[in-house]
Amino acid sequence: QYLLQQERRLSPINRYQQANVIILPSHLANDFEAFCRCNPAPLPLLHRSQSGETSCLPLAKHTDIRTDISQYCVYEEGQLVKTVSSLQSYTSQGRIAWPDMVCFYLGCSFGFEGRLKTAGVPVRNVEQGRNVSMYRTAVPCIPAGVFSCPLVATMRPVPAAMLDAAVKVTNLNPLAHGAPVHIGEPALLGIQDLSRPDYGERVEMQPGDVTVFWACGVTAIEAILSSKPSLAFSHSPGCMFLTDSPDSSPVTKPNPELTPLCFLVSHNPLFYSLASQRAVARIRQLEIIIGEDPGQRGIRALSVQDELLCSCLALSHSSSVAITTGFPTHYMHSPPDETDGPPGAIAMATMLLALGKQVTMVTDRRAVEMNQAIIDEALQNQLKQLFHPVSLEIKFIVNLPLLCYNHGPDSALHFLCHHGDPNRPRLRSGRAEDGNYYNMRGVNIKHLVDPIDNLFIAAKNIPGITTTGIGDGGNELGMGKVKEKVKSLMPNGSLIACDIPADQWVSNWGGYAVACALYLLHTCPSHQRYLRKGLGVEHIPPQEQLQDWTANLPSVDKEESFLSTLVRFGIRSGKTGNLAMEVDGLTFHPTHSDIITRLLEVTLSSTSQNP
């Protein structure tokens, strides 16, 4: 048996499940098991032994954990004191005899390397004959009892074109850490120097590779170091316990709809996110609906697939969001603003606040007083009571600050970043090529507009800030991303086309769709696991809690009420100038109400199908 295990171990990519091993005094065993349950991605528990047990029949026959690993680490009072090739000398040691020790066998990512190779994904550490790189991150694990420590992650370079394959393959085996917990810039995990792994060896990147991080069982060693038991043992990183079980065999047939897909969210810093096929399909349906063009303005030709999805993934990962809306298209009236924009902005703010984001509304100085009154009324009349899933209490959303942008030298940088430092980020119609601002009729209304788009320009050079534009005509802030299409396809396009691009842009009714897509991501297990870095107990809210969350979605009643508020404040339809229940010349009933109804049908159709 020993020789057989050595043969498996020396195989370039073995085909058997491997295990990390942690051995602790029995009085710490319950705490450590709870720690594993709280942090399932780094610490997938395969087996817990009885006190003093040296065999592990559920995983392998004829084994002796004291000799079946090629190298062990010995810890005293939380300090690594030596490495040994056998633990037999500790069988009856003075302070703590072996009969008082409990062994924990934890899943290992080496188990999925064979399947990665079968799927055509290169395994760089194996190619280079090196142990995998392991890094101590700045992400804290969920504490349990005496155990608390940072997450440790393995890094494997993967070609960008093969990210989906790597995610799908590893997702099939949660007992080998499952899907990645981070893809992209290492600094986002607190890793400052890839050339200096905390465990293992440096693995060289190849051109086109992306850094992909999986939760790692060496997290358990960090737990030993922080909890300081009088005596403890572990495998030496890279020297694993070999089982008799074939690697990565899924227990049940996977549900294809729940398979995570990988999407690029940001270039600077490089960052990818995950969402299930089911959530992605629903969000793509939302995108089709909001791309409809009942006003025949030509917006369908500007659509770009997955802009809604990528925008909402960025928002889901954000901690703070600034929303700007409103455009004084009716320069002959007071107020000159139009009804298109504010309803969608409030719908987004409602959902973002419910998700715990810090949300700020930004507007022109001339419109601060009016917009503050509108927001106050929306908060009072529309934002519903929310069920707080942690405290089980009811709370109200009451904090939605409104700011104006005071432009001047470096003012955009100071607005977006703490003390104007690009390394500390805080977080409507846009400027045309000639520097002016035009409504859809080609009238220059620059005198009524603050240059809030300077924030979008500054954000392009600040790592960690992403931007999204929502529009339906081509002159809206952010639509510089499709400027050439606007010029060639939209009426007055060569004059009105916004010159300021956003990272993503979303077409007509985008605010409602963003709120719905954020709800879908909130109820997507694959995305939520990725957000949590695989830490915390995986939890699918019961049906009654999901119903509480639906109160944060837009609805026909809420949006009709809000539109009537805008009309009461004298805000007019953009296309016609009518002071009526319409937006851009389209009446609320049946056009807008029908769009909202269909968005909700797509969004809530997935609720009853959650696994």
Side-chain angles (χ1 to χ4, degrees):
Q1 177 69 16
Y2 177 76
L3 293 176
L4 178 61
Q5 289 190 342
Q6 294 306 307
E7 180 182 350
R8 294 175 185 170
R9 182 179 288 113
L10 295 173
S11 174
I13 293 184
N14 73 79
R15 301 287 180 172
Y16 292 86
Q17 189 177 61
Q18 304 185 51
N20 302 278
V21 176
I22 299 295
I23 306 173
L24 295 166
S26 60
H27 72 277
L28 298 176
N30 288 342
D31 277 1
F32 188 74
E33 181 173 348
F35 187 62
C36 294
R37 304 295 183 197
C38 288
N39 300 280
L43 305 172
L45 185 57
L46 303 178
H47 179 65
R48 170 184 168 172
S49 78
Q50 299 295 318
S51 296
E53 186 178 16
T54 58
S55 62
C56 185
L57 291 177
L59 299 181
K61 298 178 180 179
H62 312 299
T63 60
D64 186 333
I65 193 57
R66 298 169 299 179
T67 57
D68 279 353
I69 293 177
S70 59
Q71 185 169 276
Y72 302 83
C73 294
V74 180
Y75 306 88
E76 296 180 3
E77 308 299 340
Q79 298 291 322
L80 174 63
V81 294
K82 59 182 173 180
T83 58
V84 296
S85 59
S86 169
L87 296 179
Q88 285 184 314
S89 63
Y90 289 88
T91 299
S92 59
Q93 185 149 30
R95 287 175 301 172
I96 299 180
W98 183 265
D100 190 48
M101 304 300 281
V102 176
C103 303
F104 290 88
Y105 300 81
L106 308 171
C108 172
S109 60
F110 288 165
F112 60 58
E113 290 182 339
R115 287 182 176 268
L116 285 175
K117 186 175 181 181
T118 300
V121 179
V123 185
R124 302 294 188 207
N125 55 295
V126 175
E127 290 177 349
Q128 297 168 26
R130 299 178 181 179
N131 192 2
V132 70
S133 301
M134 292 165 266
Y135 300 89
R136 183 185 301 111
T137 74
V139 179
C141 289
I142 307 299
V146 301
F147 294 101
S148 64
C149 68
L151 172 70
V152 174
T154 58
M155 189 283 291
R156 291 172 176 80
V158 174
M162 296 184 178
L163 289 175
D164 264 331
V167 169
K168 290 177 182 178
V169 166
T170 56
N171 177 67
L172 291 175
N173 191 5
L175 294 181
H177 304 301
V181 296
H182 179 74
I183 303 174
E185 173 57 52
L188 295 176
L189 290 178
I191 300 169
Q192 302 303 324
D193 188 353
L194 276 182
S195 68
R196 301 177 63 184
D198 297 289
Y199 303 93
E201 298 175 274
R202 175 181 176 178
V203 176
E204 301 293 337
M205 304 272 290
Q206 301 300 315
D209 282 352
V210 175
T211 50
V212 182
F213 295 86
W214 281 266
C216 177
V218 174
T219 300
I221 293 178
E222 289 291 318
I224 290 176
L225 299 178
S226 64
S227 61
K228 297 180 172 54
S230 56
L231 180 66
F233 311 107
S234 77
H235 69 290
S236 183
C239 301
M240 317 309 298
F241 176 79
L242 270 291
T243 76
D244 294 338
S245 303
D247 73 327
S248 302
S249 301
V251 178
T252 58
K253 186 177 180 180
N255 182 345
E257 284 195 337
L258 302 182
T259 300
L261 301 176
C262 183
F263 294 89
L264 176 64
V265 174
S266 166
H267 289 280
N268 184 23
L270 185 66
F271 181 65
Y272 292 77
S273 188
L274 305 183
S276 69
Q277 289 189 21
R278 174 186 294 171
V280 170
R282 298 292 190 277
I283 293 172
R284 285 173 174 167
Q285 286 180 271
L286 298 178
E287 192 167 55
I288 291 172
I289 293 172
I290 64 172
E292 295 180 5
D293 190 12
Q296 298 183 339
R297 304 179 72 176
I299 191 68
R300 190 187 296 273
L302 306 181
S303 296
V304 180
Q305 186 179 22
D306 290 337
E307 292 285 84
L308 174 63
L309 172 63
C310 292
S311 172
C312 291
L313 287 171
L315 289 170
S316 181
H317 284 277
S318 70
S319 58
S320 60
V321 180
I323 300 174
T324 180
T325 188
F327 190 53
T329 189
H330 301 299
Y331 60 97
M332 299 295 289
H333 293 278
S334 181
D337 302 83
E338 62 171 309
T339 52
D340 190 17
I346 291 295
M348 289 189 291
T350 303
M351 183 58 71
L352 288 165
L353 286 166
L355 293 172
K357 314 297 184 184
Q358 180 181 344
V359 183
T360 302
M361 301 291 288
V362 185
T363 190
D364 300 310
R365 284 170 292 177
R366 60 159 188 84
V368 168
E369 185 175 344
M370 178 187 67
N371 282 320
Q372 185 64 66
I374 291 171
I375 288 173
D376 289 345
E377 185 160 326
L379 291 172
Q380 179 180 356
N381 297 334
Q382 292 192 37
L383 302 186
K384 303 297 184 180
Q385 292 179 328
L386 297 181
F387 182 76
H388 196 293
V390 176
S391 65
L392 304 183
E393 296 174 351
I394 298 297
K395 67 175 183 178
F396 288 95
I397 297 178
V398 294
N399 184 26
L400 182 54
L402 176 69
L403 301 177
C404 62
Y405 170 59
N406 297 312
H407 57 95
D410 293 328
S411 56
L413 193 60
H414 282 272
F415 188 96
L416 294 170
C417 302
H418 294 283
H419 308 296
D421 182 356
N423 295 314
R424 299 181 61 201
R426 288 190 238 270
L427 92 150
R428 41 180 268 168
S429 172
R431 186 185 309 163
E433 278 185 327
D434 62 5
N436 291 315
Y437 299 79
Y438 296 95
N439 63 20
M440 287 299 292
R441 291 179 290 278
V443 177
N444 183 4
I445 51 174
K446 183 177 182 179
H447 62 290
L448 295 173
V449 178
D450 289 339
I452 294 175
D453 39 8
N454 284 345
L455 301 177
F456 275 55
I457 297 171
K460 300 299 290 183
N461 299 314
I462 301 174
I465 295 182
T466 58
T467 56
T468 295
I470 295 177
D472 60 4
N475 62 335
E476 295 87 358
L477 178 56
M479 291 191 70
K481 184 170 184 177
V482 288
K483 180 175 65 175
E484 296 308 315
K485 285 187 176 182
V486 173
K487 285 183 173 182
S488 63
L489 299 173
M490 301 300 289
N492 296 321
S494 59
L495 176 65
I496 68 167
C498 177
D499 195 45
I500 310 301
D503 296 307
Q504 290 91 29
W505 80 273
V506 179
S507 66
N508 204 11
W509 294 293
Y512 301 145
V514 166
C516 292
L518 287 171
Y519 174 88
L520 289 169
L521 292 176
H522 176 70
T523 55
C524 170
S526 297
H527 182 66
Q528 291 301 307
R529 178 188 183 276
Y530 190 77
L531 276 179
R532 300 191 320 267
K533 305 291 186 291
L535 307 177
V537 178
E538 195 162 301
H539 175 65
I540 300 169
Q543 194 68 28
E544 59 270 17
Q545 289 190 25
L546 288 174
Q547 289 172 353
D548 284 306
W549 272 98
T550 62
N552 302 298
L553 290 167
S555 70
V556 171
D557 289 343
K558 284 197 292 184
E559 303 316 315
E560 185 173 22
S561 173
F562 187 64
L563 182 56
S564 68
T565 297
L566 295 179
V567 173
R568 186 163 54 79
F569 274 84
I571 298 175
R572 300 170 180 270
S573 173
K575 185 174 182 180
T576 65
N578 292 337
L579 192 60
M581 294 290 288
E582 64 176 57
V583 178
D584 281 338
L586 301 172
T587 57
F588 186 81
H589 292 290
T591 306
H592 297 281
S593 60
D594 176 65
I595 291 289
I596 295 167
T597 299
R598 290 162 59 202
L599 291 174
L600 289 173
E601 287 174 351
V602 169
T603 303
L604 298 178
S605 68
S606 66
T607 299
S608 61
Q609 299 179 31
N610 270 327

